[in-house]
Amino acid sequence: MVKAVVSPFEALGLSPALLRALDAMGYERPTEIQERVIPLLLADRDVIGQAQTGTGKTAAFGIPIVERSDPERAEVQALVLAPTRELAVQITQELRALAQFRPLAIATIYGGSSMRAQLDALARGAQVVVGTPGRILDHLGRGTLDLSRVRLLVLDEADRMLDMGFMPDVERILRRLPRDRQTALFSATVPLIIKRLALRYMRAPEHVAVRPEEPTVETVEQVYYEVAERDKLDGLCYVLDTEQPQQAIIFCHMQVTVDRVHRALVRRGYQAEALHGNLRQSQRERILHDFRTGKLPLLVATNVAARGLDIPAVSHVINYDIPEDAETYVHRIGRTARAGRPGKAITFVAEWDGEAWAAIRKLAGEAIREQRLPLYG
Ligand code: AMP
């Protein structure tokens, strides 16, 4: 007799619609935070999830939200609060992907974009709302958002909401929600103020902490090339052609370099986009969306892209220009080798980079191997 093979996600008791979506998304097995948090949330428990970006925390609450929201009921049943619109948009994308085989309406509510579109989305009857605290309060004040039937509240990146001064707004929203709801709070750190908040607004939460997957020499392969400034473009093309990265971020020091490298790559037939501080919000969102969903293989970026932005795991990080300091180097290579997957960090060291390079070597140690461009024989 043929025995049915139970996938690791099936073992969590998920519905066929979700299993199909996970399959389509290429998620084969739950990450640690997912394995530990999903059963608790499905069993109606409150949870404090101590986990950073890159651990799969979004699906850890996204899967229970999609599983437990009823498409037949035209009322907001789950609310996710996030500190920034960028994160709100990313959460929405993940929820939509998880709900691709379930007819759930998911609305995103954040400041700085058209109120009209958000009102329309709410009027059509969203079952799930993702938003930033300020704009959610706006809608509550106008009476355009009814949260009286919310059964599950998620506070994502609670420590960042605290840092950004959103806690009074968050508390105002909390007081407008039904008391007998379920609450999940995710935060990289759990300072005392957040513990107090949990004590006041949560029902005996279970604390689940997962270690951040620090990039280490075992999972990130680090190499450098000595390359003269004027040979960098050829060097980059050589690296791209030999490495064939599934997805890479190419970091440059200045915006003009980002534009120049981007144009040169496109001219040479590579599929690449440029990301820097001078783009319109809509352009940034489109580029990030294409990159996150894997449609875009190469992203050329200034350092801003490394800070604050949540860019998912990539197979390669290329420092076209040397990072300005050793901490930036370590932070950048943290963009690769997420969720236990291997990654590679490649750094170009040019003729004037001696000092910065010495500092990086001191911090990163001898793990960075030298490779040579064929150009130099
Ligand atoms: P997050 O920590 O939620 O920002 O997720 C980090 C990255 O891991 C995202 O790009 C997700 O798409 C991806 N991811 C989340 N869960 C899984 C999983 N079970 N298998 C593979 N990739 C995952």
Short mmCIF file of all heavy atoms in Angstrom, two decimals, residues 9 26-31 34 52-59 94 292 310 312-313 341, ligand 1:
data_model
loop_
_atom_site.label_atom_id
_atom_site.label_comp_id
_atom_site.label_asym_id
_atom_site.label_seq_id
_atom_site.Cartn_x
_atom_site.Cartn_y
_atom_site.Cartn_z
N PHE A 9 4.50 21.07 6.45
CA PHE A 9 3.42 22.04 6.67
C PHE A 9 2.10 21.33 6.92
O PHE A 9 1.28 21.78 7.71
CB PHE A 9 3.30 23.00 5.48
CG PHE A 9 4.23 24.18 5.56
CD1 PHE A 9 5.23 24.37 4.63
CD2 PHE A 9 4.10 25.12 6.58
CE1 PHE A 9 6.08 25.46 4.70
CE2 PHE A 9 4.95 26.22 6.67
CZ PHE A 9 5.95 26.39 5.73
N GLY A 26 6.98 28.16 -2.93
CA GLY A 26 8.26 27.49 -2.79
C GLY A 26 8.70 27.28 -1.35
O GLY A 26 9.86 27.01 -1.08
N TYR A 27 7.77 27.41 -0.40
CA TYR A 27 8.10 27.14 1.00
C TYR A 27 7.92 25.63 1.24
O TYR A 27 6.81 25.12 1.16
CB TYR A 27 7.16 27.87 1.96
CG TYR A 27 7.26 29.38 1.95
CD1 TYR A 27 8.02 30.06 1.01
CD2 TYR A 27 6.59 30.12 2.92
CE1 TYR A 27 8.09 31.45 1.04
CE2 TYR A 27 6.67 31.50 2.95
CZ TYR A 27 7.41 32.16 2.00
OH TYR A 27 7.48 33.53 2.02
N GLU A 28 8.99 24.95 1.54
CA GLU A 28 8.89 23.49 1.69
C GLU A 28 8.65 23.06 3.12
O GLU A 28 7.92 22.13 3.40
CB GLU A 28 10.15 22.82 1.15
CG GLU A 28 10.16 22.82 -0.37
CD GLU A 28 11.47 22.39 -0.94
OE1 GLU A 28 12.35 21.92 -0.18
OE2 GLU A 28 11.63 22.51 -2.16
N ARG A 29 9.34 23.73 4.03
CA ARG A 29 9.14 23.39 5.44
C ARG A 29 9.12 24.65 6.28
O ARG A 29 9.71 25.66 5.90
CB ARG A 29 10.23 22.44 5.92
CG ARG A 29 11.66 22.95 5.75
CD ARG A 29 12.66 21.91 6.15
NE ARG A 29 12.42 20.67 5.42
CZ ARG A 29 12.82 20.46 4.16
NH1 ARG A 29 13.49 21.39 3.53
NH2 ARG A 29 12.55 19.34 3.55
N PRO A 30 8.41 24.59 7.43
CA PRO A 30 8.34 25.79 8.26
C PRO A 30 9.71 26.16 8.84
O PRO A 30 10.53 25.29 9.12
CB PRO A 30 7.37 25.39 9.38
CG PRO A 30 7.20 23.93 9.31
CD PRO A 30 7.62 23.47 7.96
N THR A 31 9.94 27.44 9.02
CA THR A 31 11.13 27.88 9.75
C THR A 31 10.86 27.67 11.24
O THR A 31 9.72 27.36 11.63
CB THR A 31 11.41 29.37 9.48
OG1 THR A 31 10.31 30.13 9.99
CG2 THR A 31 11.59 29.66 7.99
N GLN A 34 8.03 29.69 12.65
CA GLN A 34 6.74 29.22 12.12
C GLN A 34 6.31 27.93 12.81
O GLN A 34 5.16 27.77 13.21
CB GLN A 34 6.85 29.00 10.61
CG GLN A 34 6.95 30.32 9.84
CD GLN A 34 7.47 30.15 8.43
OE1 GLN A 34 7.69 29.03 7.95
NE2 GLN A 34 7.71 31.26 7.74
N GLN A 52 13.61 38.26 14.46
CA GLN A 52 13.97 39.34 13.55
C GLN A 52 13.49 39.05 12.14
O GLN A 52 13.12 37.93 11.82
CB GLN A 52 15.48 39.53 13.54
CG GLN A 52 15.98 40.04 14.86
CD GLN A 52 17.48 40.23 14.88
OE1 GLN A 52 18.18 39.67 14.07
NE2 GLN A 52 17.94 41.02 15.83
N THR A 53 13.57 40.09 11.33
CA THR A 53 13.32 39.92 9.90
C THR A 53 14.28 38.87 9.36
O THR A 53 15.43 38.84 9.75
CB THR A 53 13.58 41.27 9.21
OG1 THR A 53 12.63 42.18 9.70
CG2 THR A 53 13.45 41.15 7.71
N GLY A 54 13.79 38.03 8.48
CA GLY A 54 14.65 37.00 7.91
C GLY A 54 14.40 35.64 8.52
O GLY A 54 14.87 34.62 8.01
N THR A 55 13.62 35.61 9.61
CA THR A 55 13.34 34.34 10.27
C THR A 55 12.07 33.69 9.73
O THR A 55 11.74 32.56 10.08
CB THR A 55 13.14 34.55 11.79
OG1 THR A 55 12.17 35.58 11.97
CG2 THR A 55 14.44 34.96 12.46
N GLY A 56 11.34 34.42 8.89
CA GLY A 56 10.05 33.92 8.41
C GLY A 56 8.90 34.29 9.33
O GLY A 56 7.84 33.66 9.32
N LYS A 57 9.08 35.37 10.08
CA LYS A 57 8.06 35.76 11.06
C LYS A 57 6.75 36.20 10.40
O LYS A 57 5.68 36.02 10.97
CB LYS A 57 8.59 36.84 12.00
CG LYS A 57 8.81 38.19 11.32
CD LYS A 57 9.36 39.20 12.32
CE LYS A 57 9.88 40.44 11.64
NZ LYS A 57 8.88 41.27 10.97
N THR A 58 6.84 36.77 9.20
CA THR A 58 5.62 37.25 8.55
C THR A 58 4.65 36.10 8.28
O THR A 58 3.46 36.20 8.58
CB THR A 58 5.94 37.98 7.22
OG1 THR A 58 7.07 38.83 7.44
CG2 THR A 58 4.78 38.79 6.73
N ALA A 59 5.17 35.01 7.75
CA ALA A 59 4.29 33.86 7.51
C ALA A 59 3.88 33.20 8.83
O ALA A 59 2.83 32.56 8.90
CB ALA A 59 4.98 32.85 6.59
N GLU A 94 2.83 39.33 1.25
CA GLU A 94 2.97 37.96 1.75
C GLU A 94 1.59 37.36 2.06
O GLU A 94 1.30 36.22 1.71
CB GLU A 94 3.86 37.94 3.01
CG GLU A 94 4.05 36.56 3.60
CD GLU A 94 5.47 36.02 3.48
OE1 GLU A 94 6.33 36.73 2.92
OE2 GLU A 94 5.70 34.91 3.94
N ARG A 292 11.52 41.37 -4.35
CA ARG A 292 11.07 40.42 -3.32
C ARG A 292 10.42 39.19 -3.92
O ARG A 292 10.53 38.10 -3.39
CB ARG A 292 10.08 41.09 -2.36
CG ARG A 292 10.72 41.97 -1.34
CD ARG A 292 9.66 42.53 -0.41
NE ARG A 292 9.04 41.48 0.38
CZ ARG A 292 9.52 41.04 1.53
NH1 ARG A 292 10.61 41.55 2.03
NH2 ARG A 292 8.90 40.09 2.19
N ASP A 310 13.44 46.31 4.35
CA ASP A 310 13.48 44.88 4.57
C ASP A 310 13.62 44.17 3.23
O ASP A 310 12.67 43.96 2.51
CB ASP A 310 12.21 44.44 5.28
CG ASP A 310 12.12 42.94 5.35
OD1 ASP A 310 13.20 42.30 5.39
OD2 ASP A 310 11.00 42.41 5.37
N PRO A 312 14.63 40.77 1.34
CA PRO A 312 14.72 39.37 1.73
C PRO A 312 16.08 38.76 1.39
O PRO A 312 16.92 39.39 0.78
CB PRO A 312 13.62 38.72 0.91
CG PRO A 312 13.50 39.58 -0.30
CD PRO A 312 13.81 40.97 0.15
N ALA A 313 16.21 37.53 1.76
CA ALA A 313 17.45 36.81 1.51
C ALA A 313 17.85 36.88 0.05
O ALA A 313 17.05 36.69 -0.85
CB ALA A 313 17.24 35.36 1.91
N ARG A 341 20.11 29.42 4.35
CA ARG A 341 20.59 29.16 3.00
C ARG A 341 21.98 29.75 2.81
O ARG A 341 22.30 30.77 3.41
CB ARG A 341 19.62 29.76 1.97
CG ARG A 341 18.35 28.93 1.86
CD ARG A 341 17.36 29.57 0.94
NE ARG A 341 16.64 30.63 1.63
CZ ARG A 341 15.49 31.13 1.21
NH1 ARG A 341 14.95 30.72 0.11
NH2 ARG A 341 14.88 32.07 1.89
P1 AMP B 1 10.44 37.40 7.04
O1 AMP B 1 11.29 37.12 8.27
O2 AMP B 1 9.01 37.16 7.29
O3 AMP B 1 10.73 38.77 6.49
O4 AMP B 1 10.85 36.33 5.93
C1 AMP B 1 12.15 36.26 5.40
C2 AMP B 1 12.18 35.59 4.01
O5 AMP B 1 12.03 34.18 4.13
C3 AMP B 1 11.08 36.05 3.08
O6 AMP B 1 11.68 36.31 1.83
C4 AMP B 1 10.12 34.91 2.99
O7 AMP B 1 9.51 34.87 1.72
C5 AMP B 1 11.03 33.72 3.23
N1 AMP B 1 10.34 32.59 3.91
C6 AMP B 1 9.50 32.68 4.96
N2 AMP B 1 9.11 31.44 5.36
C7 AMP B 1 9.73 30.55 4.55
C8 AMP B 1 9.74 29.12 4.46
N3 AMP B 1 9.04 28.35 5.30
N4 AMP B 1 10.49 28.56 3.50
C9 AMP B 1 11.22 29.33 2.65
N5 AMP B 1 11.26 30.67 2.69
C10 AMP B 1 10.53 31.29 3.63
#
